[in-house]
């Protein structure tokens, strides 16, 4: 929703009602996914998340491959999308009359990743405090 909110509205024929129905259905689908993870977590009480679940269900090789896919491809891609989205939202007020330059968005996103990486390497306690501030900001942004 936060990455392509206009896309849902445009592709639903401009109808706010249809867009809300699509968002609601996506929310229900996400809730079902979360409930599935709750069921897995209560059934398989080992630590390790996805790795432990796949290991129990399919064995060591698929779990290992999923873990490496997560580390090498999925998490970096998610981090890139989140960073680019945040950078676009931060820069958008400065370019009201035109499109935000892609170079500026990418530079701010890369800078954000590097700063947060440095903070996490420097002090885990400081990184936890920053994460708490961002979490509170997200909750306040909902209200």
């Amino acid at each position: 929703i936060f990455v392509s909110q206009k896309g849902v509205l445009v592709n639903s024929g401009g109808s706010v009602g249809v867009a809300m129905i699509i968002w609601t259905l996506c929310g229900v689908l996400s809730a079902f996914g979360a409930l599935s993870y709750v069921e897995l977590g209560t059934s398989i009480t080992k630590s390790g998340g996805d790795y432990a679940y796949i290991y129990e269900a399919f064995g060591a090789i698929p779990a290992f491959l999923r873990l490496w896919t997560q580390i090498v491809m999925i998490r970096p891609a998610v981090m890139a999308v989140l960073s680019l989205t945040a950078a676009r939202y931060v820069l958008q007020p400065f370019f009201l009359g035109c499109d935000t330059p892609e170079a500026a968005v990418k530079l701010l996103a890369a800078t954000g990743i590097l700063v947060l990486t440095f903070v996490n390497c420097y002090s885990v306690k400081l990184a936890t405090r920053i994460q708490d501030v961002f979490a509170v900001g997200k909750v306040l942004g909902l209200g």
Side-chain angles (χ1 to χ4, degrees):
I1 290 174
F2 299 113
V3 176
S4 61
Q5 70 277 16
K6 288 187 219 172
V8 173
L9 186 59
V10 169
N11 292 324
S12 64
S15 171
V16 175
V18 173
M20 293 301 289
I21 290 171
I22 291 170
W23 282 339
T24 303
L25 291 175
C26 290
V28 169
L29 185 63
S30 295
F32 285 150
L35 289 173
S36 297
Y37 267 94
V38 167
E39 181 69 25
L40 282 170
T42 55
S43 300
I44 302 171
T45 56
K46 295 180 180 177
S47 63
D50 292 344
Y51 176 81
Y53 306 149
I54 295 171
Y55 184 85
E56 287 290 320
F58 303 111
I61 293 175
F64 175 79
L65 293 174
R66 168 68 168 102
L67 180 67
W68 274 98
T69 304
Q70 179 81 9
I71 290 169
V72 172
M73 293 177 8
I74 296 172
R75 286 193 182 183
V78 168
M79 183 58 64
V81 169
L82 291 174
S83 298
L84 288 169
T85 302
R88 191 172 311 280
Y89 279 120
V90 166
L91 290 175
Q92 201 169 18
F94 298 105
F95 298 95
L96 291 177
C98 58
D99 291 334
T100 309
E102 284 300 312
V105 171
K106 290 178 182 178
L107 183 64
L108 183 60
T111 303
I113 290 172
L114 289 173
V115 165
L116 291 176
T117 301
F118 172 77
V119 167
N120 198 31
C121 291
Y122 179 72
S123 169
V124 175
K125 210 177 254 192
L126 179 60
T128 303
R129 287 187 187 133
I130 291 173
Q131 190 173 15
D132 291 344
V133 169
F134 284 147
V136 168
K138 282 193 268 186
V139 171
L140 291 176
L142 293 173

